[in-house]
Amino acid sequence: MSSQDSSEGQQCPLAVGVETSSQSASDGETDCEVITVTIGATVPTGFENTAAEEVQEKIGADATISKDRGRIYFQITTDKLSQVHNLRSVDNLFVVVEEYDNYQFKDSKEETLEDLQKLASKLPWTNALKVWKLNTSLKKKRGPHRRPQGPKGKGRRGRNFRDRGKANKDVVETDTMETVTVEIEKLQLEPQAPTTGQGGGSPDLENSPLGEQQEVEGQEPGPKVLKFRVTCSRAGDKHSFSSNEAARDFGGAVQDFFQWKADMTKFDIEVLLNIHNVEVVIGIALTEESLHRRNITHFGPTTLRSTLCYGMLRLSKPQASDVILDPMCGTGAIPLEGAIEWQQAFYLAGDNNDMAVSRTVNNICHIQKKRLDKCSTPGLPIDTVQWDLCHLPMRTNSVDIIITDMPFGKRMGSRKKNWDLYPPCLREMARVSRPGSGKAVILTQDKKCFQKAISRMGGLWRKHHTVWVNVGGLHAGVFLLKRTAGIFGQTPEDVREPLEEESVQMTTPLHSIDDLLAGSVT
């Protein structure tokens, strides 16, 4: 069982509404049942409205923002399930089995855990499992799917949920992956009555190394037994139990009800138990790996999630023919996301670090190769340059939008260096931005330094909007700035303050924006 206690409750969709209709399938296939369900999605905190807008725009569904930050939910019919996986703003997807707005927890731990065990057999699993099965078949059509693996060492396959030992040893790592195929038509999805052996006990699920029913000579082989795990996410300080204990007891009841096989790493299905104060949501995961890990193959120390990059880009509202600049691109996550989603604009990714520029080039090449393999147009409207941020090799008033992730002063740089870095950076950004129409979307966790720097830019930038986000556990802000109509060179803010140490010099020659737009610089 995997579990986690958190102060923000994550990974849980809300409320399932189920309607069914039948539609004839062609070529003699069986009828295909179209089910209306509620899909839950986790999104970057602060960008819930952005995600809801995308759902309405691309799927035509009205999304409701959860009262807990970082989640939205919306109803779809199963014929649109494949479109849900193409959303750019969501991290993880779930189909909800059941939701309780005001679950009555008992006073004692023992009674509460006993209630959770009884709950497993009362839930309406049927439609959620149909959606999971359809989702699995869609993944098989797209290609072999990837299965998260746990720590190296002795496997946990076939363990009974109630024999887990110390619960904190069962938190699963998800970085290492392997390819697994599932014969979904032969999986055991219906509840099974426990069978008894000669001793009258429950079946030993650990005797079969593959978690399958044993074949008997002269009989058709039975359905394969699903391997599963339960992940519990709990938030609230008035619970008498831990998330590990809830996952253990609820998972044991699910195992007894379906006769599935417990497997913490090579599972076929992940059941989600989310508890937030008095709200309880049970769901089934539809994503094995977060959708934000889609563009980047060469990671840096501070690589942004693609879903967060999408939110920042959408906040800037790119238009056709816009010149969009990321002067501190890192691994190129922001301009790469933009070049994929808003291809009518042109993107410039730059950094003063040669390793960052190399990672950006490699990530662009990776996406281009993927597009070529899919017979799509491989080219992307993006170019990469190594430069000094405080002396950009670009003409004044030549950029429409600047989007960048500035150093937090944690893993990169320091708070002290930020006080010297932020003011000249904002001045140089103002110089290259178009007066009156230019915009900047800046992500930073060093809010005090940024606010002070902006207060000294009154003649060049105006703060228009702020979105507060969670970045790796840090409370950061995404600031939307609007360029004033002030002409650079005619305001007091244009005068550069001398720095104690000169910034790193460019290692590539200066080029005009016309050369960059022509694609002659790489």
Side-chain angles (χ1 to χ4, degrees), residues 335-392:
L336 192 53
E337 180 70 20
I340 294 171
E341 186 67 11
W342 288 275
Q343 298 187 23
Q344 301 305 312
F346 182 80
Y347 301 83
L348 282 170
D351 205 289
N352 72 333
N353 187 288
D354 57 347
M355 292 184 63
V357 173
S358 177
R359 293 189 187 107
T360 299
V361 171
N362 287 329
N363 287 324
I364 294 172
C365 291
H366 168 71
I367 295 297
Q368 288 176 330
K369 184 178 184 302
K370 281 177 59 177
R371 291 164 65 89
L372 187 61
D373 292 341
K374 294 180 179 179
C375 298
S376 300
T377 304
L380 290 172
I382 185 172
D383 210 342
T384 309
V385 187
Q386 186 171 355
W387 55 32
D388 174 6
L389 168 63
C390 297
H391 300 84
L392 294 175

Side-chain angles (χ1 to χ4, degrees), residues 7 60 67 94 154 156 229 267 322 340 371 385 388 393 401 412 420 470 487 522:
S7 60
K67 60 185 178 182
F94 316 85
K154 185 177 179 181
R156 303 194 189 105
R229 80 173 184 185
F267 52 88
D322 277 353
I340 294 171
R371 291 164 65 89
V385 187
D388 174 6
I401 301 173
M412 294 294 290
D420 292 331
N470 186 307
I487 300 175
T522 58

Side-chain angles (χ1 to χ4, degrees), residues 355-465:
M355 292 184 63
V357 173
S358 177
R359 293 189 187 107
T360 299
V361 171
N362 287 329
N363 287 324
I364 294 172
C365 291
H366 168 71
I367 295 297
Q368 288 176 330
K369 184 178 184 302
K370 281 177 59 177
R371 291 164 65 89
L372 187 61
D373 292 341
K374 294 180 179 179
C375 298
S376 300
T377 304
L380 290 172
I382 185 172
D383 210 342
T384 309
V385 187
Q386 186 171 355
W387 55 32
D388 174 6
L389 168 63
C390 297
H391 300 84
L392 294 175
M394 303 183 68
R395 291 177 179 173
T396 301
N397 308 336
S398 60
V399 175
D400 296 286
I401 301 173
I402 297 173
I403 308 180
T404 196
D405 170 20
M406 298 190 77
F408 286 11
K410 298 285 188 180
R411 277 181 271 182
M412 294 294 290
S414 67
R415 292 296 180 92
K416 183 179 179 180
K417 291 181 179 179
N418 283 351
W419 286 95
D420 292 331
L421 176 67
Y422 280 25
C425 286
L426 288 169
R427 274 196 295 271
E428 185 68 358
M429 291 178 191
R431 181 185 70 81
V432 300
S433 293
R434 300 189 193 277
S437 62
K439 291 177 282 188
V441 179
I442 310 293
L443 169 66
T444 180
Q445 194 261 341
D446 196 348
K447 299 178 284 292
K448 183 178 180 181
C449 180
F450 184 79
Q451 298 279 16
K452 183 67 175 178
I454 285 295
S455 68
R456 297 163 60 185
M457 296 286 130
L460 297 173
W461 291 113
R462 289 284 187 271
K463 190 168 64 173
H464 183 72
H465 183 62

Side-chain angles (χ1 to χ4, degrees), residues 101-148:
D101 288 324
N102 189 22
Y103 190 88
Q104 298 298 315
F105 291 104
K106 299 296 177 59
D107 294 333
S108 69
K109 178 198 296 186
E110 291 74 17
E111 290 178 320
T112 298
L113 295 177
E114 184 179 354
D115 280 353
L116 289 177
Q117 293 177 29
K118 294 178 180 178
L119 184 63
S121 60
K122 300 176 182 178
L123 295 172
W125 296 97
T126 303
N127 287 289
L129 287 171
K130 288 179 180 178
V131 174
W132 172 85
K133 184 176 179 181
L134 174 61
N135 187 71
T136 304
S137 67
L138 291 173
K139 286 186 291 186
K140 285 174 69 67
K141 290 179 181 178
R142 292 196 297 266
H145 58 280
R146 299 169 71 80
R147 173 80 62 221

Side-chain angles (χ1 to χ4, degrees), residues 25-47:
S26 58
D27 301 327
E29 296 180 359
T30 58
D31 287 348
C32 179
E33 191 176 39
V34 176
I35 307 172
T36 300
V37 293
T38 299
I39 299 295
T42 60
V43 302
T45 55
F47 283 109

Side-chain angles (χ1 to χ4, degrees), residues 50-100:
T50 299
E53 290 173 4
E54 187 194 14
V55 170
Q56 174 61 46
E57 179 183 298
K58 296 183 177 179
I59 300 180
D62 293 326
T64 305
I65 299 173
S66 171
K67 60 185 178 182
D68 300 320
R69 297 188 72 197
R71 288 183 291 138
I72 64 171
Y73 54 97
F74 51 94
Q75 285 196 338
I76 64 163
T77 52
T78 49
D79 56 346
K80 294 183 178 180
L81 185 60
S82 60
Q83 299 178 35
V84 175
H85 285 270
N86 294 326
L87 295 173
R88 310 292 294 185
S89 58
V90 303
D91 290 318
N92 291 285
L93 295 166
F94 316 85
V95 58
V96 183
V97 177
E98 187 64 281
E99 179 244 351
Y100 300 90

Side-chain angles (χ1 to χ4, degrees), residues 71-276:
R71 288 183 291 138
I72 64 171
Y73 54 97
F74 51 94
Q75 285 196 338
I76 64 163
T77 52
T78 49
D79 56 346
K80 294 183 178 180
L81 185 60
S82 60
Q83 299 178 35
V84 175
H85 285 270
N86 294 326
L87 295 173
R88 310 292 294 185
S89 58
V90 303
D91 290 318
N92 291 285
L93 295 166
F94 316 85
V95 58
V96 183
V97 177
E98 187 64 281
E99 179 244 351
Y100 300 90
D101 288 324
N102 189 22
Y103 190 88
Q104 298 298 315
F105 291 104
K106 299 296 177 59
D107 294 333
S108 69
K109 178 198 296 186
E110 291 74 17
E111 290 178 320
T112 298
L113 295 177
E114 184 179 354
D115 280 353
L116 289 177
Q117 293 177 29
K118 294 178 180 178
L119 184 63
S121 60
K122 300 176 182 178
L123 295 172
W125 296 97
T126 303
N127 287 289
L129 287 171
K130 288 179 180 178
V131 174
W132 172 85
K133 184 176 179 181
L134 174 61
N135 187 71
T136 304
S137 67
L138 291 173
K139 286 186 291 186
K140 285 174 69 67
K141 290 179 181 178
R142 292 196 297 266
H145 58 280
R146 299 169 71 80
R147 173 80 62 221
Q149 298 297 303
K152 294 180 180 179
K154 185 177 179 181
R156 303 194 189 105
R157 187 171 52 193
R159 292 180 57 179
N160 188 292
F161 274 102
R162 297 193 178 94
D163 298 328
R164 297 170 62 216
K166 293 185 178 180
N168 61 356
K169 294 184 179 180
D170 287 290
V171 178
V172 176
E173 301 288 342
T174 59
D175 290 338
T176 308
M177 315 290 284
E178 75 172 9
T179 300
V180 178
T181 57
V182 181
E183 296 296 333
I184 60 173
E185 296 300 329
K186 298 180 180 179
L187 287 174
Q188 176 181 305
L189 295 176
E190 298 298 326
Q192 302 293 314
T195 58
T196 57
Q198 294 179 352
S202 61
D204 185 359
L205 296 178
E206 300 186 20
N207 290 334
S208 174
L210 295 179
E212 301 177 2
Q213 293 185 359
Q214 300 296 319
E215 296 184 13
V216 179
E217 186 175 355
Q219 296 183 7
E220 291 291 330
K224 293 183 179 180
V225 177
L226 270 173
K227 292 178 285 187
F228 84 110
R229 80 173 184 185
V230 171
T231 299
C232 178
S233 177
R234 182 185 67 86
D237 55 3
K238 295 183 179 180
H239 301 133
S240 60
F241 54 91
S242 68
S243 54
N244 275 304
E245 292 170 332
R248 177 197 63 202
D249 285 50
F250 182 74
V254 172
Q255 186 177 35
D256 291 342
F257 184 63
F258 286 104
Q259 293 298 294
W260 290 343
K261 184 177 179 128
D263 195 315
M264 302 302 109
T265 57
K266 297 181 179 179
F267 52 88
D268 299 311
I269 187 168
E270 182 176 21
V271 178
L272 304 175
L273 173 63
N274 192 89
I275 302 170
H276 183 87

